[in-house]
Amino acid sequence: MKTLLVKAPYRDLYGPIKLAAGNYFLLGLGYIAAYLRQFGHEVFMLDPEAEDLSYPECASRIRRLAPDLIGISATTPDFSNALKIARLSRDNSSAFLVLGGIHGSCLPDFILKKYPGVFDAICIGEGEETSAEICSFLQGKTASLREIDGLCFAENGQIVRTRQRRFISNLDRLPFPARDLVNIDRYKPHAFNTRKGRTATIITSRGCPFRCTFCASKLTLGGVFRTRSADNVLDEIKHLVSRYDVSHILIQDDTFTFDMDRAKTICRKIIEANLKIEWFSFSQVTKVDEELLSLMKKAGCYCIGFGIESANEKILKCIRKPINAEISGRAIQNAKKHGL
């Protein structure tokens, strides 16, 4: 099958400060692309923003490629732009059209009812296995969309939601994201994370066991912390350095340090491999100690992002944040002590 994966544009949402906004290679689509290629499918990627394409130019690309399947990934802020891409896809192809990403995963029924006929199906949660099974359906190997877990679609005027798809437990079996489908020089971090050299993003785990009320992670990636092995993570970092000459890495896990022993092992392996990289990660103030912070610094970490949200205990309790101002203050002091 010929598949086109599209990242919805979003930088226009920043208004006058969009020059400070970064643009990142979408790892979710990169993983889906690499996974589909394992089954012999032909995959293309379209990132209108990174490629500086207008909507008419996107339409021309879609007509030229004539894909069998188009997958569009969208968050809530850029969903309006995803709708524009979907509608021009309808007008310029006969492709089966799927919406994926955070917004679709959280509000599939609402979207299908409010925008009838725009999307053929919505992928809920992780997209690798679901996308491969959609391709099988389009090839006639699967009799019905009802047989595919993790989907929502309209059928005979009714909204059908299939069984929840089980989250992938062994992340090491996934191929590295298909970065060769894009020009990674077109991507750059937000202004506060800008460093010298070429930048790449990675994700070393999926799922977050915390239950913060404002976060959609548990709806899209589950509440169980699933990890890649330290060796698998190191192999991808080496791959980025050797093949793409990357010197700056942004780890996009919700909480990279949730398993502190694993995080320490990854840091030690980076140090032992003598990889000259700088990197950033997110953390939680209860999931660091001085040994880890020291190792992170030695391994090239220059900045750590703590989700503190508030110092007010009433607010923290309301949003189910299992921290307090004292714990946050101590974590910040220790991070600064070790040069982060």
Side-chain angles (χ1 to χ4, degrees):
M1 303 297 293
K2 184 184 290 187
T3 299
L4 176 64
L5 301 175
V6 187
K7 177 186 176 186
Y10 78 100
R11 288 183 70 191
D12 60 320
L13 302 167
Y14 280 81
I17 64 167
K18 66 181 181 181
L19 290 177
N23 187 25
Y24 299 96
F25 171 64
L26 197 58
L27 290 170
L29 293 184
Y31 272 111
I32 291 172
Y35 190 81
L36 289 179
R37 292 201 299 193
Q38 291 186 134
F39 296 90
H41 301 298
E42 190 177 10
V43 186
F44 301 87
M45 294 190 74
L46 174 61
D47 186 337
E49 218 147 51
E51 299 179 66
D52 196 24
L53 297 176
S54 65
Y55 285 106
E57 288 170 326
C58 289
S60 177
R61 174 85 64 87
I62 291 168
R63 284 196 302 272
R64 187 171 73 252
L65 288 175
D68 304 296
L69 170 65
I70 296 177
I72 303 171
S73 182
T75 62
T76 297
D78 60 31
F79 178 66
S80 59
N81 290 336
L83 279 174
K84 294 178 184 177
I85 295 290
R87 285 167 173 150
L88 67 84
S89 296
R90 278 273 180 254
D91 293 339
N92 292 277
S93 78
S94 58
F96 189 88
L97 195 57
V98 179
L99 174 70
I102 294 170
H103 194 69
S105 293
C106 295
L107 297 168
D109 304 68
F110 172 80
I111 293 169
L112 290 172
K113 290 176 182 177
K114 186 171 178 62
Y115 307 100
V118 176
F119 301 101
D120 292 303
I122 295 177
C123 173
I124 302 171
E126 291 175 322
E128 291 90 355
E129 294 174 335
T130 304
S131 297
E133 291 176 21
I134 291 173
C135 286
S136 293
F137 166 75
L138 296 176
Q139 291 175 312
K141 297 177 182 178
T142 302
S144 169
L145 288 175
R146 290 176 178 267
E147 298 178 31
I148 302 175
D149 293 346
L151 270 190
C152 192
F153 56 92
E155 184 179 78
N156 299 323
Q158 301 296 317
I159 303 300
V160 177
R161 190 190 289 223
T162 63
R163 292 180 305 178
Q164 180 177 339
R165 179 171 293 279
R166 291 189 176 186
F167 293 105
I168 299 168
S169 57
N170 179 13
L171 298 178
D172 281 7
R173 71 180 177 85
L174 294 176
F176 297 155
R179 297 181 177 89
D180 60 291
L181 293 178
V182 300
N183 178 356
I184 67 170
D185 285 328
R186 291 183 175 271
Y187 297 91
K188 66 174 186 176
H190 292 308
F192 73 89
N193 247 331
T194 299
R195 310 294 282 185
K196 292 181 179 179
R198 185 174 283 167
T199 299
T201 52
I202 67 170
I203 189 165
T204 78
S205 66
R206 294 183 181 182
C208 182
F210 296 116
R211 290 292 180 269
C212 306
T213 58
F214 54 82
C215 183
S217 176
K218 58 184 175 290
L219 298 176
T220 56
L221 295 174
V224 176
F225 185 67
R226 296 164 290 134
T227 64
R228 296 168 56 193
S229 67
D231 285 333
N232 186 255
V233 173
L234 188 73
D235 286 345
E236 184 175 10
I237 294 174
K238 288 180 176 178
H239 172 73
L240 290 170
V241 171
S242 62
R243 178 165 180 177
Y244 296 101
D245 193 30
V246 165
S247 59
H248 177 219
I249 292 175
L250 303 175
I251 299 177
Q252 296 191 313
D253 303 28
D254 289 318
T255 310
F256 169 66
T257 64
F258 182 80
D259 182 340
M260 291 195 289
D261 289 337
R262 170 181 167 273
K264 290 173 185 177
T265 300
I266 292 173
C267 289
R268 291 190 184 103
K269 287 183 177 292
I270 292 173
I271 295 167
E272 291 166 5
N274 196 31
L275 293 172
K276 303 301 182 183
I277 56 170
E278 292 184 293
W279 52 279
F280 164 90
S281 75
F282 294 105
S283 181
Q284 209 253 36
V285 292
T286 65
K287 293 299 179 181
V288 290
D289 59 23
E290 290 209 53
E291 180 188 15
L292 175 56
L293 293 168
S294 176
L295 281 168
M296 290 173 72
K297 179 65 176 180
K298 291 175 183 175
C301 182
Y302 63 92
C303 183
I304 185 168
F306 288 125
I308 292 171
E309 324 310 343
S310 177
N312 182 290
E313 289 191 20
K314 184 177 180 180
I315 292 174
L316 290 168
K317 184 178 180 180
C318 182
I319 63 176
R320 297 181 188 171
K321 198 82 178 178
I323 64 175
N324 59 44
E326 182 182 353
I327 296 172
S328 296
R330 189 183 312 122
I332 292 169
Q333 289 172 348
N334 286 335
K336 294 184 72 174
K337 175 183 175 181
H338 290 282
L340 297 173

